[in-house]
Amino acid sequence: MPQNHSFLEGRLYPILFMLALTVVFVGILAGYYRSSEGRIETNRQETFQLQILSLFADTLSQRTGLPLARISDPKNLSDYYSLYIHKAAANLAAGSSISSDYYLCLAGKDTLGYAYNLTGSGLWGTMRGLLAVTPDLSRIINFTIYEQMETPGLGARVEENWFRSQFTHQPLLLHDSIPQFTLIPENAEPARLKIRQITGASITSGSVLTMLRQAAGELAILHKDNLR
Amino acid sequence: MNKKDIFLTSAFRENSVWKQILGICSSLAVTNLMLNSLIMGLGVIFTLICANFTISLIRNYTPRSVRMMAQTLIIGAYVIIVDIFLRVNIPEVSKQLGPYVGLILTNCILMGRAEAFAAKNAPVDSVIDGLGAGIGYTLVLLTIASIRELFGFGSLFGFTLLGSWWTRWSIMVMAPSAFFLLAVLIWLINDYYYKVKTG
């Protein structure tokens, strides 16, 4: 058969074309990402710091008399964060679900609580959360999930206020025993150790409880070794 | 076809979802909340406009043998741009949408419009076609999301409309409701068009 292909349909041109197209678009993306990288990292850090400060907002407000809205206002983040939150490192075993870095909330010389960075498995991927506890670890001050890959509108609702606020004031380590949280329907009445699950996302809801139980177990060991 | 016709055909007469049954996956996935649907729709509109424009601009230089690879690369690049833009400017929304931004790439409407229109028509017409297809898709998302969010959460765009007296319909929050609603929507619209056609 006669070879009657134009240059556009030849063997070399498509390769050159794709190469050029790839170089152009990868170049554009690399440039855009590089120029935005700093802002993305700043956003991530600010969100994280605000989450930690928000965990202690109630406690700080009661202790210092500052209005709650003022503490949680992103505009005051850098001032209040550097004033009240201090980073420390714990001696944790490798493979622990708690990060070795933890955060102390200090008002003057008094420790108001600790915040631990937790990692657990959700339905689709890793979930990361922050658990704020009283200095004696007996009670949860606040809890939040700040990173997850769950289904938007379903499992991703673990970040919603109604879900996370259920953990506030729940017991954590009473006489070193790990709390046995159980799930109840979303429209049920909240109660001690009963957590209202997210409708349509029972696996994610259960994963959060597993994450907390695991963290409580590890904190019990940490509490014994380091905090007493 | 004039510009108005291109837009109306792409957005309504040949709507990608109810006429061509494309983009069904994301129509089912993100429609339990109106905000998610709106952001997803805007992301698709932006990607469709930019991808259609670029594909149309280089259509005379694109070898047939690699055209779909080229289209995928172009669409993918614009999806990443949307993702970076959201992470820089609206990090809360970016976080909420999570993996769905990346999934714009797998939306059949984008490849469909690139192959069916942008690869054969002038850039301006392709932009109008992309805009129309994107708006048509977004309208379908918002229609389904409005019903699901209202009955499932008692709210619209997060604003509570039905008070605590309202018993939430759990089925509306879950994926099967999107199947039923989408099926009913396709049925009603096609029935309407059929009646108009047969007069």
Side-chain angles (χ1 to χ4, degrees):
Chain A
M1 272 175 70
Q3 296 294 306
N4 197 20
H5 293 304
S6 68
F7 178 62
L8 255 68
E9 292 302 321
R11 283 187 181 174
L12 187 61
Y13 179 72
I15 296 169
L16 293 176
F17 177 83
M18 279 309 293
L19 199 65
L21 199 66
T22 308
V23 168
V24 168
F25 275 96
V26 168
I28 292 170
L29 289 179
Y32 186 41
Y33 184 74
R34 285 294 274 183
S35 66
S36 314
E37 206 174 15
R39 188 65 227 163
I40 291 171
E41 183 53 26
T42 309
N43 284 347
R44 199 190 60 77
Q45 273 178 12
E46 281 179 0
T47 308
F48 186 73
Q49 291 180 353
L50 195 64
Q51 299 260 20
I52 295 175
L53 198 60
S54 299
L55 292 176
F56 295 108
D58 271 328
T59 317
L60 273 171
S61 177
Q62 282 164 17
R63 183 60 183 258
T64 60
L66 284 166
L68 198 62
R70 210 165 133 192
I71 299 170
S72 307
D73 190 345
K75 284 179 206 154
N76 304 321
L77 173 69
S78 57
D79 293 344
Y80 290 141
Y81 186 84
S82 55
L83 187 63
Y84 296 116
I85 307 294
H86 302 268
K87 197 173 168 181
N91 187 17
L92 283 159
S96 171
S97 69
I98 303 173
S99 299
S100 55
D101 287 339
Y102 68 100
Y103 303 85
L104 293 101
C105 179
L106 300 173
K109 285 180 181 173
D110 296 334
T111 304
L112 302 183
Y114 302 106
Y116 292 95
N117 201 347
L118 318 179
T119 306
S121 299
L123 177 63
W124 300 117
T126 304
M127 286 197 292
R128 291 180 213 285
L130 283 163
L131 176 70
V133 295
T134 51
D136 61 355
L137 303 180
S138 64
R139 202 168 44 82
I140 296 173
I141 295 176
N142 226 325
F143 173 68
T144 188
I145 297 282
Y146 67 89
E147 200 180 295
Q148 43 80 21
M149 297 169 76
E150 302 308 284
T151 316
L154 287 175
R157 291 176 65 214
V158 285
E159 291 187 12
E160 287 180 8
N161 200 36
W162 72 269
F163 182 77
R164 61 193 198 90
S165 65
Q166 299 181 84
F167 295 95
T168 304
H169 304 313
Q170 293 278 6
L172 187 72
L173 290 174
L174 286 175
H175 315 295
D176 286 350
S177 67
I178 295 164
Q180 296 302 313
F181 292 114
T182 48
L183 292 172
I184 54 172
E186 190 173 329
N187 52 4
E189 281 298 311
R192 189 176 180 269
L193 295 175
K194 307 273 184 212
I195 301 299
R196 288 157 60 210
Q197 69 172 19
I198 300 160
T199 306
S202 50
I203 295 178
T204 307
S205 308
S207 301
V208 172
L209 298 195
T210 307
M211 194 172 162
L212 276 175
R213 270 197 293 270
Q214 202 173 348
E218 286 169 15
L219 281 175
I221 298 166
L222 186 72
H223 180 54
K224 227 175 196 171
D225 294 349
N226 297 353
L227 299 174
R228 268 183 188 165
Chain B
M1 255 199 302
N2 63 31
K3 311 250 181 295
K4 188 182 162 193
D5 270 344
I6 293 172
F7 178 81
L8 291 175
T9 302
S10 168
F12 303 105
R13 291 173 201 143
E14 292 299 324
N15 181 284
S16 304
V17 183
W18 72 62
K19 207 71 181 166
Q20 299 174 43
I21 321 293
L22 294 175
I24 298 295
C25 183
S26 54
S27 306
L28 303 176
V30 298
T31 51
N32 54 359
L33 291 174
M34 285 200 78
L35 184 66
N36 288 357
S37 304
L38 181 68
I39 302 289
M40 181 71 166
L42 291 175
V44 169
I45 291 172
F46 171 82
T47 313
L48 265 168
I49 289 173
C50 297
N52 268 13
F53 178 76
T54 313
I55 290 162
S56 172
L57 204 64
I58 59 167
R59 71 190 187 283
N60 294 330
Y61 308 100
T62 310
R64 279 190 59 77
S65 55
V66 294
R67 74 186 189 287
M68 292 192 88
M69 264 170 30
Q71 288 163 3
T72 311
L73 189 142
I74 292 165
I75 293 166
Y78 285 118
V79 171
I80 296 172
I81 288 172
V82 171
D83 187 33
I84 297 173
F85 177 84
L86 289 177
R87 284 163 69 187
V88 171
N89 298 296
I90 347 176
E92 308 81 26
V93 173
S94 165
K95 209 171 141 191
Q96 259 190 341
L97 281 178
Y100 285 127
V101 179
L103 284 180
I104 294 175
L105 178 63
T106 64
N107 194 321
C108 315
I109 298 170
L110 291 145
M111 281 301 284
R113 296 326 297 165
E115 187 64 4
F117 198 94
K120 298 168 193 159
N121 291 282
V124 177
D125 289 353
S126 299
V127 166
I128 294 168
D129 177 76
L131 179 69
I135 288 176
Y137 168 75
T138 308
L139 286 176
V140 174
L141 289 194
L142 290 175
T143 306
I144 298 171
S146 62
I147 300 168
R148 291 184 72 190
E149 190 178 336
L150 187 66
F151 291 110
F153 295 103
S155 61
L156 284 179
F157 281 110
F159 295 104
T160 306
L161 295 181
L162 307 174
S164 53
W165 54 272
W166 175 254
T167 306
R168 293 175 177 190
W169 297 9
S170 304
I171 184 81
M172 284 294 175
V173 178
M174 293 187 270
S177 70
F179 269 107
F180 302 137
L181 289 171
L182 191 61
V184 170
L185 188 78
I186 291 169
W187 169 34
L188 290 176
I189 292 172
N190 283 312
D191 185 55
Y192 169 77
Y193 270 106
Y194 179 76
K195 276 178 188 161
V196 169
K197 236 180 181 176
T198 53

